[in-house]
Amino acid sequence: LIITMRVLFGWLARIAVGVVWTWTPPTRALTTNPLAVVADPARRALFVDGADLAARYAATVLSLPSGHERDLRSVKDELFADLPRGATIVELGPGPGTNAAWLAKAAPRRYVAVEKNPYFAPQPWIAAPEAPAEVIRARSLAEVATGSADVVVATCVLCSCADARSVLRDIRRVLKPAGRYYFLEHVAAEPPDGWYARGQRAVRPLQQALADGCDPAKRTETLLREVFAGDDLVVRRRTRLPGHFPIGPTIAGVAELAAGSRR
């Protein structure tokens, strides 16, 4: 109960900071020069562009310190232990750089950051001495060439994808033969009729509204096994993080594309 309350208050604090930070720029513009805001379409858009406000809010909240990310460190230590060095790595949804420490150790030759949210700050490790020789930024996987990646990394991303199956197919498309997809996702609890799974479905609308579209009840493992059927998919870790309802149930693993497999 104590852990749950701590996580709850932490989330409430993050939401409050996100709301304040999201509305600060447009509010300051309005109070400083309201006539200029009315006359300038770009400034008016700060108030009426829901997608822009949502993107700013998501970047703010996800960039704050997170107990969930802290509790995932041991899972990531195990997951990324065999990241190939000097590879071409495509990271889907790097956000504030939650995987930067592990990717930097792999010293990728080429790093492709696929991030649709423009409000995330550039990751510091990209400018560090161990930075990749080539850094490419893209807004979607559609911009990444077929068969160009040795590795694709995506953690806690599929929950927010409206069409996760299509995203997984795109991940498979960009991988080279024998390329690896490293995944870490929170998933729907088992059994489906258990109290935890029922709770996930009950809070789904609120979670999606406050957490960038995150669906805590998505059956992500089923989608993974469907798209990567015929490939070598191994779930390395299956756990339920205590105190992180509704996103406690978590899987982490690697899907390796079978040589000569059809895309």
Side-chain angles (χ1 to χ4, degrees):
L1 178 61
I2 293 175
I3 294 175
T4 302
M5 292 302 293
R6 174 176 60 82
V7 172
L8 176 61
F9 283 120
W11 260 108
L12 290 174
R14 286 158 62 85
I15 291 169
V17 171
V19 170
V20 170
W21 195 259
T22 297
W23 280 98
T24 294
T27 302
R28 183 183 297 124
L30 183 63
T31 56
T32 302
N33 193 340
L35 292 178
V37 173
V38 173
D40 185 352
R43 294 189 182 185
R44 288 203 308 273
L46 291 174
F47 292 91
V48 299
D49 188 343
D52 186 78
L53 287 171
R56 191 184 294 115
Y57 167 81
T60 300
V61 171
L62 294 175
S63 297
L64 294 172
S66 165
H68 184 248
E69 276 299 326
R70 181 194 62 233
D71 292 345
L72 283 176
R73 287 174 189 163
S74 63
V75 181
K76 291 186 178 182
D77 284 341
E78 180 180 341
L79 174 64
F80 295 133
D82 64 345
L83 266 178
R85 292 182 60 84
T88 293
I89 295 180
V90 174
E91 184 177 15
L92 179 60
T98 52
N99 298 322
W102 292 272
L103 297 184
K105 291 178 183 178
R109 177 177 58 84
R110 176 184 297 158
Y111 171 70
V112 183
V114 181
E115 178 58 68
K116 66 178 183 179
N117 191 326
Y119 290 103
F120 283 112
Q123 298 182 42
W125 76 277
I126 292 177
E130 66 274 18
E134 184 179 1
V135 176
I136 301 171
R137 292 176 175 83
R139 292 294 303 276
S140 75
L141 279 170
E143 301 174 34
V144 182
T146 298
S148 62
D150 300 300
V151 170
V152 173
V153 170
T155 62
C156 299
V157 168
L158 296 176
C159 60
S160 297
C161 296
D163 187 354
R165 181 181 285 102
S166 176
V167 172
L168 285 169
R169 287 172 178 162
D170 239 0
I171 288 173
R172 195 173 182 280
R173 176 186 63 80
V174 304
L175 282 170
K176 296 178 180 179
R180 299 178 188 171
Y181 164 41
Y182 289 77
F183 59 87
L184 187 160
E185 300 287 343
H186 62 80
V187 296
E190 296 291 345
D193 58 350
W195 71 267
Y196 202 110
R198 291 175 184 269
Q200 286 179 314
R201 293 192 293 271
V203 302
R204 175 190 281 155
L206 181 62
Q207 176 77 1
Q208 289 180 313
L210 297 178
D212 198 27
C214 169
D215 180 356
K218 185 172 288 185
R219 307 196 69 77
T220 303
E221 184 174 356
T222 300
L223 294 174
L224 280 163
R225 295 192 180 280
E226 174 187 314
V227 174
F228 285 91
D231 298 311
D232 185 11
L233 188 149
V234 177
V235 174
R236 294 181 174 179
R237 184 86 172 264
R238 192 185 301 274
T239 186
R240 181 181 290 184
L241 301 178
H244 289 289
F245 176 84
I247 57 173
T250 302
I251 61 170
V254 179
E256 183 171 325
L257 200 66
S261 61
R262 298 180 62 184
R263 297 183 185 276

